[in-house]
Amino acid sequence: MFQWPFGAQRRARQRVVEALYGEIVAAARRPRLYSELQVPDTPLGRFEMLSLHLFLLLHRLRGETGVLADLAQELTDYFFREVDHSLRELGIGDLGVPKRIKKLARMFYGRLSAYGQAVDAGNEAELAGALRRNIMPDRAVWDESAVLAAYMLEACHVLSGLANEELLAGKLTFPPLPQEKS
């Protein structure tokens, strides 16, 4: 008798996680990121954009407790399940997936730290430098990183204004990229 409410609650939570993650994916797949900002349209470039947008939501949820903290963890777990699935779709075998997941996890958490420090300081130049090092490590200069850094700071500001109830309902909207503004 008691299993039905818990099962229903779990399914409802899963729908919220999937809705939020869907918005993260939609934001990360915007064509202008790859065409105008020159993010490499490769599996690693897409991982970078997913990581960036997940960072933005996790940064908004940072310091929250209870169900919102659980939501942040569930989103992170969901992200890594999706990364695992993507690696397998790319043809990486069962023995290679755990090593790659471990490496991608180190990359992801390193980015959370670097981006978080820059965002907390409101330091657009530091954030642009971190973005260039992570997304375009082979280039000494990537002017588009400044545009992406400005977008991230604006997104943090917009997301900070989102009510907890909206997030718990699976509602998330990222601001437009600078090139998308009319």
Side-chain angles (χ1 to χ4, degrees):
M1 189 71 160
F2 290 107
Q3 290 181 359
W4 184 83
F6 292 115
Q9 184 181 30
R10 188 174 352 120
R11 284 190 298 277
R13 246 188 7 246
Q14 185 64 25
R15 282 193 296 275
V16 168
V17 168
E18 289 173 358
L20 293 173
Y21 192 75
E23 291 299 324
I24 290 167
V25 170
R29 289 186 175 168
R30 288 184 277 189
R32 289 187 167 153
L33 288 168
Y34 305 96
S35 61
E36 295 175 27
L37 295 182
Q38 300 179 10
V39 172
D41 193 5
T42 62
L44 191 54
R46 291 186 290 275
F47 171 81
E48 292 291 351
M49 291 302 94
L50 284 168
S51 296
L52 182 148
H53 286 89
L54 180 56
F55 158 79
L56 292 169
L57 181 53
L58 293 178
H59 193 266
R60 160 59 179 85
L61 294 170
R62 186 182 60 174
E64 296 287 352
T65 59
V67 70
L68 288 170
D70 294 343
L71 179 62
Q73 184 60 57
E74 288 181 42
L75 277 164
T76 304
D77 294 345
Y78 192 85
F79 170 69
F80 281 106
R81 282 194 303 275
E82 290 296 305
V83 169
D84 180 288
H85 179 74
S86 295
L87 290 172
R88 292 175 193 283
E89 281 187 343
L90 289 170
I92 297 171
D94 289 342
L95 296 177
V97 169
K99 284 190 270 186
R100 292 217 172 66
I101 289 288
K102 188 174 182 179
K103 179 180 180 183
L104 291 170
R106 277 194 311 268
M107 290 169 58
F108 175 72
Y109 288 109
R111 280 146 181 74
L112 289 185
S113 176
Y115 299 162
Q117 289 173 7
V119 166
D120 289 343
N123 190 330
E124 191 173 318
E126 181 182 335
L127 183 56
L131 290 165
R132 186 202 51 77
R133 285 188 304 277
N134 292 326
I135 299 169
M136 296 290 212
D138 297 334
R139 291 179 60 179
V141 176
W142 181 41
D143 293 332
E144 292 80 2
S145 66
V147 176
L148 195 53
Y151 161 74
M152 286 180 70
L153 290 174
E154 179 185 1
C156 282
H157 176 71
V158 168
L159 293 179
S160 72
L162 251 132
N164 291 344
E165 295 74 28
E166 290 179 273
L167 293 171
L168 291 172
K171 296 178 182 171
L172 173 65
T173 304
F174 290 96
L177 293 166
Q179 318 86 299
E180 295 170 333
K181 295 178 183 177
S182 323

